[in-house]
């Protein structure tokens, strides 16, 4: 005999989620997390590449400023001088790109491009053979000429003398570790 008391009757009402629904929710959550992490990692890689490019650009500008300051102290310059010339520092297989004759009549300041003097440098290097600097950034009087790496990983150091103008157009080019080209131009 059926019970007439409604409190005694069991009703089947759905409470909670089924196992299939929980598995689908977990799968969608994992997929969403994977997409978000991929976007974050891509952003971090892009930020790292941008930071590297900006660092190279800053080093290139500083290098061009150094060349420009040597040009300002010079009375004349020669682009792509003879490698067999008598230079104050050894070139060690590097190609001289610029020789600047100082106004005081001392030996030429030479910028050369080629193989690095040691394995700590990345790729070809731009080297400066010239007098040493003091702590304030000026030329130390009476100092001996030194061959120093100015910039490493240099793909190109191009110098152009526009006809009839007493200026020198300069361009430096390097590559990032990912292969992107970074270049800077200057006039001295």
């Amino acid at each position: 005999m059926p019970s007439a008391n409604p409190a005694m009757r069991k009703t089947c009402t759905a409470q909670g989620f089924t196992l299939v629904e929980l598995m689908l929710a977990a799968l969608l959550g994992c997929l969403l997390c994977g997409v978000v992490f991929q976007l974050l990692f891509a952003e971090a890689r892009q930020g790292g590449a941008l930071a590297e490019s900006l660092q190279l650009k800053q080093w290139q500008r500083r290098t061009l400023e150094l060349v420009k300051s040597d040009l300002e102290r010079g009375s004349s310059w020669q682009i792509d001088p003879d490698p067999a010339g008598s230079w104050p520092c050894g070139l060690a297989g590097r190609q001289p790109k610029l020789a600047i004759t100082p106004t005081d009549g001392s030996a030429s300041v030479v910028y050369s491009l080629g193989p690095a003097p040691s394995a700590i440098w990345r790729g070809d290097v731009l080297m400066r053979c010239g007098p040493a600097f003091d702590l304030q950034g000026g030329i130390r009087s009476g100092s001996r000429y030194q061959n120093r790496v100015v910039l490493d990983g240099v793909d190109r150091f191009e110098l152009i003398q526009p006809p009839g103008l007493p200026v020198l157009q300069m361009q430096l080019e390097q590559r990032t570790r990912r292969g992107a080209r970074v270049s800077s131009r200057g006039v001295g």
Side-chain angles (χ1 to χ4, degrees), residues 23-87:
M23 296 293 280
L24 277 173
L27 178 67
L28 287 174
C30 286
L31 286 174
L32 184 62
C33 284
V35 168
V36 168
F37 281 126
Q38 286 294 332
L39 290 173
L40 287 174
F41 289 137
E43 184 68 27
R45 279 191 305 270
Q46 187 176 7
L50 178 62
E52 183 184 8
S53 294
L54 291 173
Q55 182 70 53
L56 289 177
K57 198 75 141 156
Q58 181 183 11
W59 289 339
Q60 289 174 355
R61 286 188 187 124
R62 288 173 59 190
T63 299
L64 292 174
E65 284 299 317
L66 177 63
V67 176
K68 185 177 176 181
S69 68
D70 279 336
L71 286 168
E72 289 170 354
R73 286 189 292 272
S75 60
S76 65
W77 61 79
Q78 183 182 2
I79 300 172
D80 293 325
D82 182 16
S86 175
W87 305 114

Side-chain angles (χ1 to χ4, degrees), residues 128-134 137-146 148:
R128 176 186 183 270
C129 169
F133 292 95
D134 59 21
I139 299 291
R140 189 177 339 141
S141 63
S143 65
R144 293 179 24 174
Y145 274 44
Q146 300 175 349
R148 296 289 183 246

Side-chain angles (χ1 to χ4, degrees), residues 87-94 112 127 129 147:
W87 305 114
C89 305
L91 295 178
R94 288 179 299 278
S112 60
M127 292 192 74
C129 169
N147 218 357

